Each structure stands twice: as structure tokens, then as C-alpha cells.
Amino acid sequence: MASDEAPKPAADRIRVVGKWVGALEVDLGAWTVPMLRAEVAQRVGDGVEPERVGLIFGGRVLKDEPPASLRAAGIKANAKVLSSLTSPDRAKEIAAEAAKAKAEEEHAARLVRLWDAAKAMSQRHTDGSFLEDEDYNLDLEDQSGQKVMFGSVDDMKALKMALMLHQKGKTQMKKKMYKEALDVLIMAEEAFSLCDSKLIEKVDNVPMLQLDIVWCYFVLRDVSCLEVAGARLEKARVGFERSHGKDSSRFRVLQSGRQADLAIYVRLELLEGVVAYHNGQTEKARGSLTSAQSKYLQLQVPDEAISMLMDMGYEARSAKRALKMTGYDIQSSVDLLCEEREKKIHRQEEDRERQREILEQMRYGKTPMNKAVDLQKLKGLTNIGFEKYLAAEALRINENDADKALDLLTNPEENCILQNKIQARRRRATRGSSSSRAAAARTAPATNNPQAFVSAPPHAVDGNAPPHAADGNAPEGNNADGNLPEGNDVDGNPPDGNSAQLLDSAEAMINEETANQDVVMTDEEVVNDEDTNSHPVPARDVSMESELAHELTGDALDDYDIEVSDEGQAIAEYMSLLESAASS
């Protein structure tokens, strides 16, 4: 009788020699290398694990990845495959080496993504080509909240990039991921090297980075880096002295007499002592460690002082930080906390205004080079009498060249053509908008408010706002990365002292405000045409960019707020080693 089953494909025969000898019937198109390895392991017996079986064909080792068929691996019918058997320990070593190689490859790929994302963000948020789906802006600010116009455009890009990477490295350090952090900090150092050295030598971002790198060396116990660690610490001390002044005199004046930098010098002097100890310079090591220990003791805050500030409504971490930076003075600590609160409120107001500007820029569309319309130049044209929508379009099509825009606007014929073009565009937009609203009215459920908009307000990228004090006031801290004292000098350079900071300028706004803005955008909507976005927007690594943006600390004093408990233990350890060496 005829069978209803389809005939099975004929099996191919291959010969296996070596540790196991015999013939196997396989389907070359369906079997993979791991399947063949498992089959040979089963034939060998004695509970041999497939990972211990090695397969060689045509002078090359057959690998499990990529998981291709035996035919794709080049094996044909009647082919001869050599099998071998490694020891259990060797098999584990091979597996561990393969896992390590894969992890290193993934880490290297992630570093490339991180660099590219930071570069792309710094580019967009310096030349004005930020995207419509970005509800934040990255600006440079000093510690007092003043915008920093830092040298050339290239310097601005490099500095923003360096600060983002430095912040990423610091975040990894807080998570105890020191090996990963070290690689990112080295990339931040490379980004800083792209800046004009004369522009950044007055701020302490670079020496702070050197200190963070050496701290990673120390935690990883990498003795091989002793020589380079000493050189980096020397650069850090010179950099701090240049920016803070000798014995931090300039820094203390700018900080109203506060000792915010004390924890930094605890770490610096500890590391200097460690390097000196391992280089056999015992007296130098003793001097550095003794000085570090003295500063460490000054940072031990009494619990009673923290309780007093907490009773006033301040969060414990903020209270402890303020007390450390003011030498336990209660009134000075309260003044510092109030200052930080006022700065936070002021920054929130500025963020709202900047958010409005971003929304306004979106109304006017992008230039052919994918940049937003320059609002300062737009204000200049409207101040001399031109209508805003007309001046914005003139700037847009002329790549924000104010002179060319002015020539166009003052030419009656070209001005008339531009107005007609805008009117035609508005009519098209109005027809499209009417059709969309009519379709929505037919499909949307009934509502009590026919004018209602369903729109989420822009939100801060940080996502982790500092906790509010118990009295309901705004939280302490700033929306920034790094530190710098107030104001720039006449040359546009930042002042001596603290570090420059990277501001994620994004703040939530109420729904009614957003809805009103949507109405205006409908009235003056710009629809892409032949001269818009003639340069395509490069592909984005959205997840990596979001990761970088979300890790901005929002705290201008974060670099100085070091928890020195690990430093205290290290000081005690090396002081004990010095005492043991002296007694022997």
C-alpha cells in the first residue's frame, strides 16, 4: 500500500576520525556545528561534555558561531572531520577566554557608541541643529548659573563632549564600575585635549578628571600605573593651584569663605602619599598622608548638627554636604542651602523660557543645513520693523545669514515672492489640518470640551529631580555638570576658580501653556518644501544619547561632594604600613 507520508530526504554520510572514529549520517543542510559536536560527544561516551570536543575540517577549527549549517561551513558528503578531546580544565579555560573576548568586544563597541553619541549631541546643541523630538538643550554654565561663551564653536563642542563623558565616568565610579569608568574617563581626557588649552587652564575640570583617573588606578590596585599616576597627580595639583589659587585662596573668596574643596584635597593628598610610599619615599608619604588625615577629620560631621538642619526641613544628604562645606557652621549651612534653592528656582524659570524658545524655533522649521532659526537675529530684524513670520522665513532660507535676509526683505520684488510663498504654504497647511481634524472628529469619542488637546508637557531629561525639603520649597541643587564661579571676563573666558558645567536646560511646563503654543504653531506652520532639510539628518543612537542626557547630575557642587569614607580607610591602612616599616 502507498504511504501518505512524504519521503524523507536522503541523509549524507561523513567520516569522523581522531578521538572517535566512525561514520555519521547527517543532514548537511539542517545540522549545525554544535549539533555535530554534541553527536560526537555522545558517541565518545563517559559523560563527555560537548564543549570538550574539538572539530577540525580542511585545516581549520569549526566554531559554533555564527550558527550556520554544516553545508555552509563547507562540509560535503563523504567529507572527513577530525575530532579531538580537551581536558575538562582546558575546556573551561577556552570557554572563559571566549566569554572574555566577547565581553571585551562588546565593551569596545559600547565605547565607540558612547563617543559617537556625545559627539553628535555636542554638535547639535552647539550649532543649533537640535531635533524636534529633543525637549532639552545643552548649554555651558558656570556655578552661579551664568551662560559661558567658551572660545570658538569647536571649543564649545569639545568641552560639551568632554563634560558629558566625564559625567558618565563619574556615574560609573559611583556604581563601583571602576574598570569601565577608567576607559570612559580616558575618552573624556581626549575630548578635553581638543579644546584650546589656554581656555581651560583656569577651570578645575581637567585636574578633577586627572584625580578621578588616578582614583580608578588606586581602587583597581593597578601598581603598574604608579609612574603615570604620579605624573597625573602632579598635573592635577598644578591645575588646582592655577584655578583655585595657592592654598585655595581664590576658591575660598569665590565660595564666600566655604571649604567646598576640602574633600578633593583629601583624595589628592592620599593618592600622593600612596604613590610616594610605593616609590620608597617614606618621609614624603608620611607628610602627604598626615595632611590628608587632618583634612579627613575636618569632614566628620556631628550627627547633632545634621539633626538640627533636618528639623528645619532639609534632606539629610543636603544637610551633611552643607555642613562639610561650611565647617559645621549652622548659619552658614542654612545660607548655602538657601542659595542653592534660589539658584534652582532661577534656573527653572530660565529653563521654561528656553523651552518656549525651542518651541518657537520649531514653528519656523529648519534651515537647509538642518539648523534652527537664530532667535537673536530674528529679534534684530523684527526690531527694525519686519514682521516676525516674514523675517523668520528669510533667515531660514538664507541659513541664518542676517545680511542676506535683510537684502531679501528690503527688495520689494523678492519680498513679495516670499510673502506669496508663505501664504500658499499656509493655505496648504490649513487644508491639511482641517482634513485631519474632521477625520479625528469622526473617530474620537465624545468629550465635554471640543477644544481639548491631548498633549504631554515637555519634561526634564534628568528624570531624577532632587527630593523636596519638608517645608515644600524647591529642592536644593542645580541642573548642571561640573562647577565654575560666576561670570566671564572681557575676553569671553570663564573666570578663575571652579569648573565649567554642562546644563541640561529642560523644564516641564503646564498643559494649558503647551496647548496655547500648539494653536500658534497651527497658524504659522512651516511645511517642509524643496529647500528644507536638503542635508539629511544623520542616524542617531537614541538609547545612548538618552543615557548620557539622563546622567547629568543637576548639581553644581557634585564634584566637590565626595564621600571620603573609603579615603579614611586607605589613610589608616597606609599610615599603619609606614609605622610597621619604621618599627622594623
Side-chain angles (χ1 to χ4, degrees):
M1 297 178 61
S3 173
D4 293 335
E5 296 182 358
K8 296 182 179 180
D12 299 302
R13 183 184 294 267
I14 63 173
R15 291 180 298 156
V16 180
V17 298
K19 185 62 180 179
W20 179 80
V21 180
L24 289 177
E25 290 187 353
V26 300
D27 184 348
L28 294 176
W31 278 47
T32 62
V33 173
M35 293 171 64
L36 178 59
R37 194 189 308 279
E39 182 66 24
V40 173
Q42 184 179 0
R43 299 299 179 96
V44 171
D46 296 331
V48 172
E49 299 175 350
E51 292 77 11
R52 293 179 57 193
V53 175
L55 300 174
I56 300 175
F57 171 73
R60 58 188 177 86
V61 177
L62 297 178
K63 297 183 178 180
D64 295 348
E65 294 182 355
S69 66
L70 296 181
R71 181 175 286 114
I75 300 177
K76 300 178 181 179
N78 297 317
K80 183 169 67 175
V81 178
L82 175 65
S83 64
S84 61
L85 194 64
T86 62
S87 66
D89 292 339
R90 180 56 184 159
K92 292 180 181 178
E93 289 178 7
I94 293 175
E97 289 173 1
K100 182 179 179 181
K102 185 176 180 180
E104 290 178 351
E105 183 179 353
E106 291 176 351
H107 179 59
R110 180 174 173 80
L111 291 177
V112 172
R113 288 179 58 203
L114 192 63
W115 176 272
D116 290 343
K119 183 177 181 179
M121 291 174 70
S122 63
Q123 172 78 26
R124 290 199 307 272
H125 291 272
T126 301
D127 64 13
S129 60
F130 53 84
L131 306 176
E132 284 81 354
D133 58 347
E134 291 180 304
D135 59 354
Y136 61 92
N137 187 44
L138 301 178
D139 285 323
L140 291 171
E141 286 190 353
D142 60 28
Q143 191 177 357
S144 64
Q146 301 298 315
K147 294 291 188 296
V148 177
M149 301 307 295
F150 208 91
S152 67
V153 173
D154 289 337
D155 289 327
M156 294 277 285
K157 294 176 185 176
L159 186 56
K160 287 181 180 180
M161 185 176 176
L163 291 176
M164 279 189 282
L165 292 172
H166 191 185
Q167 179 58 38
K168 177 65 179 177
K170 289 189 292 185
T171 301
Q172 291 175 321
M173 289 173 65
K174 290 179 180 178
K175 296 178 180 179
K176 310 298 183 182
M177 301 167 59
Y178 292 103
K179 187 177 185 303
E180 295 82 356
L182 184 57
D183 291 333
V184 178
L185 294 175
I186 296 298
M187 290 200 307
E189 183 180 35
E190 183 178 350
F192 272 123
S193 71
L194 301 177
C195 301
D196 186 342
S197 59
K198 293 182 179 179
L199 292 175
I200 59 174
E201 66 181 7
K202 294 182 180 180
V203 296
D204 64 6
N205 297 86
V206 176
M208 195 80 72
L209 175 65
Q210 298 290 345
L211 189 60
D212 287 339
I213 290 174
V214 180
W215 182 250
C216 288
Y217 291 160
F218 174 73
V219 175
L220 294 171
R221 301 293 177 175
D222 192 347
V223 182
S224 65
C225 293
L226 271 179
E227 184 176 351
V228 66
R232 288 186 181 279
L233 290 174
E234 180 63 25
K235 289 180 181 178
R237 179 165 286 282
V238 171
F240 283 133
E241 186 168 325
R242 184 188 297 119
S243 59
H244 293 175
K246 191 168 182 61
D247 298 325
S248 296
S249 56
R250 185 185 301 117
F251 183 89
R252 298 293 164 83
V253 170
L254 294 169
Q255 290 287 326
S256 303
R258 298 170 187 137
Q259 51 186 23
D261 60 335
L262 201 59
I264 292 174
Y265 286 97
V266 171
R267 178 173 288 184
L268 175 63
E269 291 174 352
L270 161 64
L271 293 174
E272 289 175 334
V274 170
V275 171
Y277 172 82
H278 287 288
N279 284 328
Q281 301 170 327
T282 55
E283 290 305 315
K284 182 179 179 180
R286 190 184 305 278
S288 296
L289 291 171
T290 301
S291 179
Q293 188 175 51
S294 174
K295 292 179 175 63
Y296 168 76
L297 294 174
Q298 294 180 52
L299 292 172
Q300 304 312 299
V301 181
D303 292 338
E304 296 79 6
I306 298 176
S307 298
M308 289 180 64
L309 290 182
M310 290 179 65
D311 291 341
M312 298 179 191
Y314 295 104
E315 189 261 343
R317 181 179 178 275
S318 300
K320 183 177 181 180
R321 180 174 73 174
L323 288 164
K324 287 194 299 184
M325 294 182 178
T326 59
Y328 323 149
D329 186 283
I330 299 297
Q331 185 57 52
S332 297
S333 298
V334 172
D335 292 342
L336 175 59
L337 291 168
C338 290
E339 286 179 19
E340 292 302 308
R341 179 175 297 166
E342 290 171 2
K343 289 177 184 178
K344 180 67 175 179
I345 295 172
H346 178 66
R347 178 166 290 115
Q348 288 174 339
E349 294 172 353
E350 288 186 339
D351 289 347
R352 292 190 183 96
E353 180 60 31
R354 180 57 184 147
Q355 192 68 47
R356 294 186 187 97
E357 291 178 354
I358 292 174
L359 292 174
E360 181 181 357
Q361 286 176 311
M362 290 179 181
R363 294 164 53 193
Y364 304 130
K366 294 293 187 69
T367 71
M369 295 290 292
N370 287 316
K371 296 181 181 180
V373 171
D374 190 315
L375 294 183
Q376 291 299 319
K377 294 179 179 178
L378 177 59
K379 183 178 180 181
L381 291 175
T382 56
N383 285 342
I384 59 179
F386 295 105
E387 293 188 50
K388 179 175 282 191
Y389 76 93
L390 195 62
E393 181 64 5
L395 284 169
R396 187 186 73 81
I397 64 178
N398 284 290
E399 203 61 54
N400 283 320
D401 189 317
D403 292 334
K404 290 183 179 180
L406 183 60
D407 291 341
L408 185 155
L409 294 169
T410 53
N411 185 312
E413 183 177 348
E414 292 186 4
N415 189 308
C416 184
I417 294 174
L418 184 62
Q419 291 192 53
N420 291 335
K421 185 177 181 180
I422 293 174
Q423 291 300 329
R425 182 183 296 154
R426 282 180 172 178
R427 286 193 293 270
R428 292 197 304 269
T430 302
R431 285 197 298 270
S433 178
S434 299
S435 301
S436 298
R437 290 176 181 174
R442 288 193 297 271
T443 58
T447 178
N448 293 329
N449 181 7
Q451 301 293 328
F453 288 88
V454 181
S455 61
H459 58 279
V461 173
D462 192 340
N464 296 312
H468 289 263
D471 58 7
N473 293 325
E476 297 85 15
N478 295 315
N479 209 9
D481 172 24
N483 307 282
L484 189 75
E486 51 191 346
N488 299 337
D489 61 24
V490 293
D491 295 323
N493 296 327
D496 300 341
N498 312 345
S499 17
Q501 59 183 331
L502 186 63
L503 172 68
D504 166 15
S505 179
E507 186 64 32
M509 300 184 339
I510 57 174
N511 285 328
E512 293 82 0
E513 184 177 354
T514 307
N516 292 335
Q517 185 67 49
D518 291 339
V519 174
V520 178
M521 289 173 67
T522 302
D523 290 341
E524 298 187 7
E525 184 174 4
V526 175
V527 181
N528 288 342
D529 55 16
E530 65 278 2
D531 60 3
T532 303
N533 296 335
S534 59
H535 290 256
V537 178
R540 293 178 60 199
D541 189 339
V542 178
S543 62
M544 186 59 73
E545 289 184 7
S546 298
E547 185 176 316
L548 280 171
H550 279 75
E551 289 178 351
L552 299 181
T553 62
D555 189 349
L557 295 177
D558 184 63
D559 276 345
Y560 305 111
D561 184 23
I562 299 175
E563 178 55 54
V564 294
S565 56
D566 290 340
E567 283 81 351
Q569 294 177 7
I571 291 170
E573 175 187 348
Y574 276 88
M575 289 293 282
S576 176
L577 290 173
L578 285 174
E579 293 300 325
S580 298
S583 60
S584 61

